Amino acid sequence: MSWRDEITLRMAFFLSVLTAMALWEALAPRRTRSFPRSVRWPANLGIVVAGALVVRVLFPVAAVGAAAFAQARGWGLLPALGLSFWPASVVSFLALDALVWGQHVVSHRVPLLWRVHRMHHADLDYDVTTALRFHPLEIALSMLLKMTAVVALGAPPESVLFFEIALNALAMFNHANAGLPPRIEPFVRWLFVTPDMHRIHHSILRDETDSNFGFNFSFWDRLAGLYRAAPAAGQGGMTIGLPDFREERELGLGRMLTQPFRD
């Protein structure tokens, strides 16, 4: 698969899931909006473009290209173990998901990384575009980490592409201003991160912010003792965002890009 095919496929999934989640939010919102979409969406969508440009400039081949490069040379742990395609794909997906989860936890623990990551939490509302609100520096660090991991693993390029698409789609799903039916939500949450589960992670209360770090699978947080079932104020009463960044101007693209460098 050429890089143009990869981009086309990823863009098709991205736009489809973004549209579906936006419609779900519009038809059945979980919480009352604090700001209209016109205030938040231009910058939240604009930061996606900025992040994509940074990644393409710094890492022209990105994670899938790195996997293809390693595969052509027989590099990595999984080829050395002689694993066939499907077992290697399953191991790769789980390993990459654990890596992204671990990176997320560390970004809350290390002050320098938190300065970069906190822009994601400074959104004053919570909807599908919050899933896209990551600083280009964090995007670049994450891509470097994933590229290193896929080369070390010798992950199949197809499994890396599937992981990247699934990570993006499920992040938009669990950041949606929507909720699953009460009868279904606990069963889905047993395996996957749901909107009601991850929304707690965006609470203004620090002990709630430091919980529910997962984007794909919910069991990493359970295994690490970082799972929280519900926010103290309830889904409708919890406050979204950070205590130190409450002004509406912080929702602008310029303020978002410079936020890691400001106290």
Side-chain angles (χ1 to χ4, degrees):
M1 177 182 291
S2 70
W3 68 270
R4 286 188 174 85
D5 293 331
E6 176 196 341
I7 290 175
T8 300
L9 185 61
R10 293 183 63 171
M11 184 60 68
F13 274 97
F14 169 75
L15 293 175
S16 297
V17 176
L18 177 63
T19 301
M21 294 302 104
L23 287 173
W24 187 20
E25 293 177 342
L27 294 172
R30 186 70 166 94
R31 291 166 45 92
T32 302
R33 290 186 180 276
S34 300
F35 296 91
R37 287 176 170 175
S38 60
V39 173
R40 296 174 48 258
W41 278 38
N44 283 4
L45 294 174
I47 204 74
V48 178
V49 178
L53 290 174
V54 167
V55 167
R56 281 299 165 188
V57 169
L58 295 179
F59 311 106
V61 297
V64 178
F69 181 84
Q71 184 184 64
R73 289 156 180 78
W75 292 354
L77 175 64
L78 301 179
L81 294 175
L83 291 186
S84 60
F85 175 77
W86 287 111
S89 295
V90 172
V91 171
S92 297
F93 192 100
L94 289 172
L96 288 172
D97 197 52
L99 179 71
V100 170
W101 175 86
Q103 179 197 4
H104 193 183
V105 174
V106 171
S107 71
H108 279 244
R109 302 286 193 265
V110 178
L112 184 61
L113 296 178
W114 170 246
R115 291 184 73 93
V116 179
H117 178 64
R118 72 185 181 189
M119 193 203 77
H120 177 64
H121 285 267
D123 201 346
L124 298 177
D125 231 332
Y126 186 93
D127 66 16
V128 61
T129 64
T130 307
L132 315 175
R133 185 188 162 109
F134 287 96
H135 198 280
L137 287 175
E138 184 170 15
I139 296 293
L141 288 171
S142 180
M143 182 55 67
L144 179 61
L145 185 63
K146 284 187 288 187
M147 290 175 67
T148 303
V150 299
V151 171
L153 282 170
E158 297 84 356
S159 70
V160 177
L161 177 59
F162 179 69
F163 173 78
E164 294 275 69
I165 290 173
L167 179 65
N168 184 251
L170 284 170
M172 287 191 284
F173 163 72
N174 57 51
H175 281 86
N177 179 28
L180 296 171
R183 292 183 179 179
I184 298 176
E185 210 272 350
F187 296 100
V188 177
R189 188 189 290 205
W190 183 81
L191 184 59
F192 297 107
V193 178
T194 64
D196 278 9
M197 176 181 167
H198 191 71
R199 192 177 295 110
I200 302 165
H201 181 69
H202 284 258
S203 166
I204 198 171
L205 302 178
R206 189 57 192 253
D207 62 330
E208 294 183 348
T209 305
D210 289 337
S211 69
N212 298 359
F213 290 89
F215 289 121
N216 284 342
F217 296 120
S218 62
F219 48 71
W220 304 121
D221 288 300
R222 298 179 196 275
L223 291 172
L226 296 173
Y227 171 73
R228 182 180 288 266
Q235 290 289 343
M238 64 185 291
T239 300
I240 299 295
L242 298 175
D244 299 329
F245 299 93
R246 306 303 302 170
E247 298 180 16
E248 184 176 331
R249 65 175 181 161
E250 294 294 339
L251 299 173
L253 182 58
R255 299 291 290 183
M256 289 164 62
L257 288 171
T258 60
Q259 199 219 73
F261 312 105
R262 292 184 283 112
D263 290 328

